[in-house]
Amino acid sequence: MSTLRGLLDLGELHDLVERGDVDTVVVCFPDMQGRLVGKRVMGGYFCDHVAAEGVECCNYLLALDVDMTPLPGYRFADWDQGYGDVRAVPDLSTLRAVPWLERTALVLCDVVDVDTAEPIEVSPRQVLRRQVERAAAAGLEVMIGSELEFFLFRDSYDDAAATGFRDVHPHSDVIEDYHVLQTTRDEYVIRAIRNGMDAAGIPVEFSKGEAGRGQHEINLRYTDALTMADRHAIYKNGVKEIAALAGRSVTFMAKYTADDVGSSCHIHSSVRDASTGRSLMWSDDAPDHLSPTFRGWLGGITASGRELAWMFAPTVNSYKRYQAESWAPTALAWGVDNRTCGYRLVGRHDGFRLESRIPGADANPYLAFAAIIAGGLHGIEHALEPPEPFRGNAYADDSLPRVPATLGEAIGELERSEVAAKAFGPDVHHHLVNTARQEWLAFNRSVTDWERRRYFEQF
């Protein structure tokens, strides 16, 4: 019997299938963009075969861009190797009802080799799992909470696509940050998301209007890193499905328009003793209450901020979000409850934690959380000291180190990164760099509306 509302064990699913309450199981895993990909399986067949055996899928799903174009340059899969299969094996601890889809359940999978059953190391869920295992080997458990923002539009996805996504209409004409009246007008969609997620075993704390027109944030309860990434991925997919069912659309682009703020994915992290569950972050006597563990965690995350930036900002669009006085950070500095810094210390005692304000809403949560852990463990292992806390307006201090300004700059940092090479291993490091590089190359081959407006007549 599952203990969290919405989660199912295999016996419960079998009973639901027998009664006709579930007829479909979405069997899926995250791709390199963090999207869920997989198959819809008949409920009876899932219970009889797929739950134990998994399903086979083409390995190109881990070597594609967002347009499903097979990309060159990978060691893992390419045309020369024939794009064979991998096996997606259900992690039954993630089996849950999906209440916004009729008679449907969902399960997340680990991706393994079809012959050896060995994990596919470049799969994002495995990349994160390896960092969780590194932390566990050091006697640590990493807790994560992600705050994901999105814009809600009156247009359906079909209507938005018909305009080339240029003439879309935010659900609000006013900035609705903490605004109760405007969020009441949005409630028919936002309430469906809150209640749907809670009923799917993804506990929700609250929702609020954000600092843009039509922008919202729905906060999920924090938990261990892998469970949080799973919840994040299902939530992000579900928000789009629920909006589409209501004839609306949402975007998780980091910066959908130059005329409004961007959308973030603030990541809150803390470290516990794996055997006792006790937080290792707070010290009554230390400056700013930073324990030695927290000092190393913060020191490593700040020191690796530039070289791991792509894992928080994976697209060309990601870097448009980093604008002065926009609520998105530009400086790799930390401060106590200071929202102008890239890293913000919040909470007290058992709730004391680090908020990274660097990631955008377009981040793959598995890779972003893996980068947080890799940077933090690097700092703990080497007892790295963080810089002095910043007090004041970090946007205005030109002496502070900065987030990379472009995807191209971030790729160079990732390619040279010793932290990434050591934490992820050479094959995963190569896979991540190639994913980033191919996105940059695709953009540089494109011609944008901005270029036509600027150069068509004048040059």
Side-chain angles (χ1 to χ4, degrees):
M1 182 81 177
S2 57
T3 58
L4 187 62
R5 181 185 178 207
L7 290 182
L8 303 169
D9 62 32
L10 194 56
E12 290 169 324
L13 177 65
H14 186 273
D15 290 343
L16 291 170
V17 170
E18 286 291 301
R19 294 201 305 265
D21 294 330
V22 169
D23 57 35
T24 301
V25 181
V26 179
V27 179
C28 56
F29 58 89
D31 68 3
M32 297 309 298
Q33 288 73 37
R35 302 174 302 176
L36 298 183
V37 295
K39 298 180 179 182
R40 279 178 161 82
V41 178
M42 294 299 292
Y45 189 74
F46 178 87
C47 292
D48 294 343
H49 298 284
V50 173
E53 301 169 8
V55 296
E56 293 187 1
C57 304
C58 180
N59 65 11
Y60 93 141
L61 290 171
L62 296 173
L64 297 172
D65 68 8
V66 72
D67 287 329
M68 306 298 286
T69 303
L71 299 175
Y74 287 114
R75 297 170 181 167
F76 166 69
D78 59 16
W79 290 112
D80 290 337
Q81 298 175 72
Y83 285 121
D85 276 349
V86 291
R87 185 176 296 276
V89 179
D91 178 347
L92 294 178
S93 71
T94 71
L95 182 64
R96 64 208 335 119
V98 182
W100 58 90
L101 298 179
E102 185 179 2
R103 299 181 185 181
T104 298
L106 178 147
V107 69
L108 293 173
C109 296
D110 291 309
V111 186
V112 304
D113 186 275
V114 291
D115 297 318
T116 67
E118 289 296 313
I120 299 298
E121 296 295 335
V122 301
S123 61
R125 200 164 189 261
Q126 182 66 12
V127 173
L128 176 56
R129 192 188 293 278
R130 289 300 189 211
Q131 298 312 299
V132 170
E133 291 170 352
R134 288 183 62 217
L140 305 174
E141 181 181 27
V142 179
M143 307 300 288
I144 297 282
S146 55
E147 299 177 342
L148 191 57
E149 298 168 349
F150 62 87
F151 279 85
L152 173 66
F153 299 95
R154 297 190 178 280
D155 317 78
S156 70
Y157 278 111
D158 287 344
D159 290 341
T163 72
F165 303 99
R166 287 187 292 271
D167 186 22
V168 290
H169 305 89
H171 207 275
S172 170
D173 294 327
V174 299
I175 294 173
E176 53 186 308
D177 203 12
Y178 295 94
H179 200 294
V180 172
L181 175 58
Q182 177 55 43
T183 53
T184 296
R185 296 167 178 147
D186 308 336
E187 182 70 347
Y188 70 101
V189 176
I190 302 304
R191 182 175 184 272
I193 296 170
R194 285 197 315 268
N195 290 341
M197 293 302 149
D198 217 54
I202 300 174
V204 172
E205 293 181 346
F206 57 82
S207 63
K208 64 178 287 291
E210 265 296 336
R213 294 165 181 83
Q215 191 180 36
H216 290 267
E217 176 180 289
I218 300 176
N219 280 10
L220 312 179
R221 294 185 198 174
Y222 79 96
T223 184
D224 66 275
L226 183 59
T227 302
M228 191 70 232
D230 289 341
R231 291 179 180 177
H232 179 126
I234 296 168
Y235 163 79
K236 191 171 181 179
N237 186 73
V239 167
K240 295 177 183 179
E241 291 176 335
I242 292 168
L245 290 169
R248 302 293 183 245
S249 58
V250 301
T251 187
F252 290 94
M253 285 182 68
K255 186 80 169 175
Y256 97 90
T257 177
D259 299 328
D260 217 326
V261 296
S263 288
S264 71
C265 171
H266 299 156
I267 298 176
H268 294 248
S269 63
S270 62
V271 180
R272 293 181 177 179
D273 183 295
S275 60
T276 67
R278 180 178 62 87
S279 173
L280 300 176
M281 307 299 273
W282 179 271
S283 172
D284 285 327
D285 303 321
D288 294 308
H289 299 292
L290 289 169
S291 70
T293 297
F294 200 163
R295 293 192 71 83
W297 186 256
L298 177 58
I301 288 172
T302 54
S304 62
R306 280 185 59 83
E307 58 192 283
L308 299 182
W310 175 80
M311 300 182 76
F312 309 120
T315 72
V316 171
N317 180 255
S318 304
Y319 299 84
K320 309 294 177 66
R321 173 174 156 265
Y322 301 126
Q323 303 293 331
E325 299 179 358
S326 68
W327 302 108
T330 59
L332 296 171
W334 71 274
V336 178
D337 198 14
N338 186 338
R339 285 183 169 86
T340 73
C341 296
Y343 308 103
R344 172 176 170 248
L345 268 60
V346 291
R348 294 178 61 81
H349 301 292
D350 287 346
F352 198 35
R353 62 196 186 275
L354 177 65
E355 176 192 54
S356 173
R357 300 175 63 82
I358 305 298
D362 54 352
N364 180 332
Y366 297 91
L367 301 184
F369 297 177
I372 288 285
I373 299 173
L377 291 181
H378 172 70
I380 291 173
E381 290 167 0
H382 296 279
L384 296 184
E385 283 293 311
E388 290 298 310
F390 186 86
R391 294 177 173 85
N393 183 358
Y395 291 118
D397 191 330
D398 292 335
S399 70
L400 295 172
R402 296 286 160 180
V403 179
T406 67
L407 177 58
E409 186 178 345
I411 292 169
E413 293 284 348
L414 180 64
E415 191 167 23
R416 294 186 294 270
S417 173
E418 295 182 4
V419 173
K422 179 180 177 183
F424 307 134
D427 288 338
V428 172
H429 185 209
H430 178 273
H431 198 87
L432 298 177
V433 170
N434 189 62
T435 301
R437 185 183 293 118
Q438 294 301 327
E439 183 73 6
W440 184 236
L441 290 172
F443 174 74
N444 286 331
R445 289 192 296 267
S446 68
V447 178
T448 66
D449 290 346
W450 184 88
E451 290 168 285
R452 279 187 287 269
R453 285 195 303 270
R454 192 171 182 88
Y455 303 133
F456 188 94
E457 180 180 349
Q458 301 301 330
F459 277 76

